[in-house]
Amino acid sequence: MALTIEMTGPGGPEVLRARDIVVGDPGPDEVRIRQTAIGVNFVDIYFRSGLYSPPSLPAVLGLEGAGFVDAIGENVSHLQPGDRVAYAGMPLGGYAEVRLIPQSRLIELPDAVSDRVAASTLLRGLTAYMLLHEVRSVRPGEWVLVHAAAGGVGQLVSRWAKRLGANVIGTVGSEGKIAAAKAAGADEVLLYKSGDWANDVRRISDNKGVHLAVDGIGGSIFMETLKTIRPFGILGSIGQPAGPVPPVRLEDLGNIAVMRPSVIAAVNDPAFYQRGSKALIAALQDGLSSPIGAEYHLRDAARAQADLEAGKTTGSVILTT
């Protein structure tokens, strides 16, 4: 029997229920993995709340995890039982001690990258790679604005942007998160809930605005963020815990671009998945850090989501088995 956390229907954290199940043998091109660490991401909350719909109910959430190969199905040639692996992206099913997954989703882990780091980093790291290399190819000296800079994605984007030679302006929701954002490399940290932070961003960035803004907050913050972009810069909207992104008229954008990049869609492209994973693993081995801000047992997945949703965590959040 394997512990699994099922979502019984859309709603609050209380719809997540623990259940022991029997996981069958892997089919053709499938691998059964025994997980030691599982990433908790805001996209999990979007599925749980009903903003996104799982393929069926009950559903097992989770799009990121790490562990070791327990068994392999037919046609699996490059993996063997005992190999350490991690994954990010669809299909759902991460909140489990044991799961079945297509072999194409699995990334082999080097000894230098632990299961906990991989499970807390792969999806967020691929998001950072997408933003800094695909949405915009960030160059030395450019300005990058990172909202929620103390969060898991925000810290990784900031750290990787600094490795590329960029100047980073971070925003956070409370005084208590400023230190974490600065430790992640933000040159300046502003409170987005007080003051005229948008004008402060423009002033700090040579009175011209930033080349790239990463908005994982949404709501009214999105409209204010548009004011911080310099001509021919870009705003990447990657989340909306503060509410839906308001509609924007094309003629009001001027010479700036807006994108709603989806890392879930991106990792469905095998070329991107392999390219981004290779770059991320190399960066982790070269010193890119990904602090884990909170750790819960798998049985406490509901509490982990509640704390993440309430903004009580900094850094990445993981479940362990």
Side-chain angles (χ1 to χ4, degrees):
M1 303 293 283
L3 174 63
T4 302
I5 306 298
E6 286 188 340
M7 167 187 163
T8 57
E14 70 278 0
V15 304
L16 299 178
R17 306 286 178 83
R19 182 184 172 204
D20 290 320
I21 67 170
V22 175
V23 179
D25 294 329
D29 301 309
E30 273 192 331
V31 174
R32 188 173 68 208
I33 62 173
R34 186 167 295 275
Q35 303 193 105
T36 58
I38 300 144
V40 179
N41 296 281
F42 238 99
V43 67
D44 303 343
I45 295 170
Y46 295 156
F47 275 106
R48 189 209 73 215
S49 66
L51 181 63
Y52 298 164
S53 298
S56 61
L57 290 171
V60 179
L61 302 182
L63 293 167
E64 179 181 43
F68 61 90
V69 174
D70 187 50
I72 60 175
E74 295 180 11
N75 306 325
V76 175
S77 58
H78 69 284
L79 291 170
Q80 295 296 326
D83 288 348
R84 295 179 55 246
V85 292
Y87 64 88
M90 298 293 279
L92 291 171
Y95 287 15
E97 287 181 329
V98 179
R99 71 168 298 186
L100 299 174
I101 192 167
Q103 65 167 328
S104 60
R105 304 309 305 164
L106 295 174
I107 304 297
E108 293 186 70
L109 294 177
D111 292 341
V113 178
S114 71
D115 292 2
R116 293 170 72 259
V117 167
S120 67
T121 305
L122 194 55
L123 193 64
R124 296 169 179 84
L126 288 169
T127 301
Y129 174 84
M130 174 184 69
L131 291 164
L132 300 172
H133 294 83
E134 307 277 345
V135 170
R136 182 180 180 91
S137 182
V138 171
R139 298 186 293 270
E142 291 192 337
W143 288 91
V144 177
L145 169 64
V146 182
H147 285 312
V153 172
Q155 288 196 35
L156 261 176
V157 172
S158 297
R159 292 177 190 276
W160 207 331
K162 291 303 295 182
R163 290 171 64 89
L164 295 172
N167 304 300
V168 176
I169 303 171
T171 74
V172 295
S174 66
E175 295 272 359
K177 294 186 176 182
I178 291 176
K182 286 188 174 180
D187 299 289
E188 300 279 351
V189 180
L190 306 172
L191 294 173
Y192 63 76
K193 292 183 178 179
S194 63
D196 192 0
W197 62 266
N199 276 337
D200 288 339
V201 170
R202 291 192 64 88
R203 173 182 54 79
I204 294 168
S205 53
D206 303 329
N207 290 311
K208 296 179 180 179
V210 298
H211 298 84
L212 171 67
V214 178
D215 176 20
I217 300 175
S220 61
I221 295 297
F222 177 87
M223 299 303 293
E224 289 297 302
T225 303
L226 287 174
K227 302 174 184 178
T228 71
I229 313 295
R230 69 174 59 200
F232 305 107
I234 187 166
L235 190 163
S237 171
I238 60 169
Q240 53 186 64
V245 173
V248 179
R249 297 194 315 166
L250 184 62
E251 55 266 35
D252 291 338
L253 291 177
N255 291 332
I256 66 174
V258 174
M259 184 182 292
R260 178 76 169 186
S262 167
V263 71
I264 304 302
V267 298
N268 282 336
D269 174 9
F272 172 90
Y273 191 45
Q274 294 299 320
R275 180 171 69 250
S277 297
K278 182 178 180 180
L280 174 60
I281 294 297
L284 290 171
Q285 290 179 294
D286 191 44
L288 176 66
S289 60
S290 176
I292 296 171
E295 184 174 325
Y296 306 78
H297 190 271
L298 176 59
R299 288 190 180 276
D300 297 321
R303 182 161 64 91
Q305 282 201 7
D307 288 350
L308 176 61
E309 193 171 17
K312 295 180 179 179
T313 64
T314 60
S316 300
V317 178
I318 64 169
L319 307 173
T320 56
T321 60

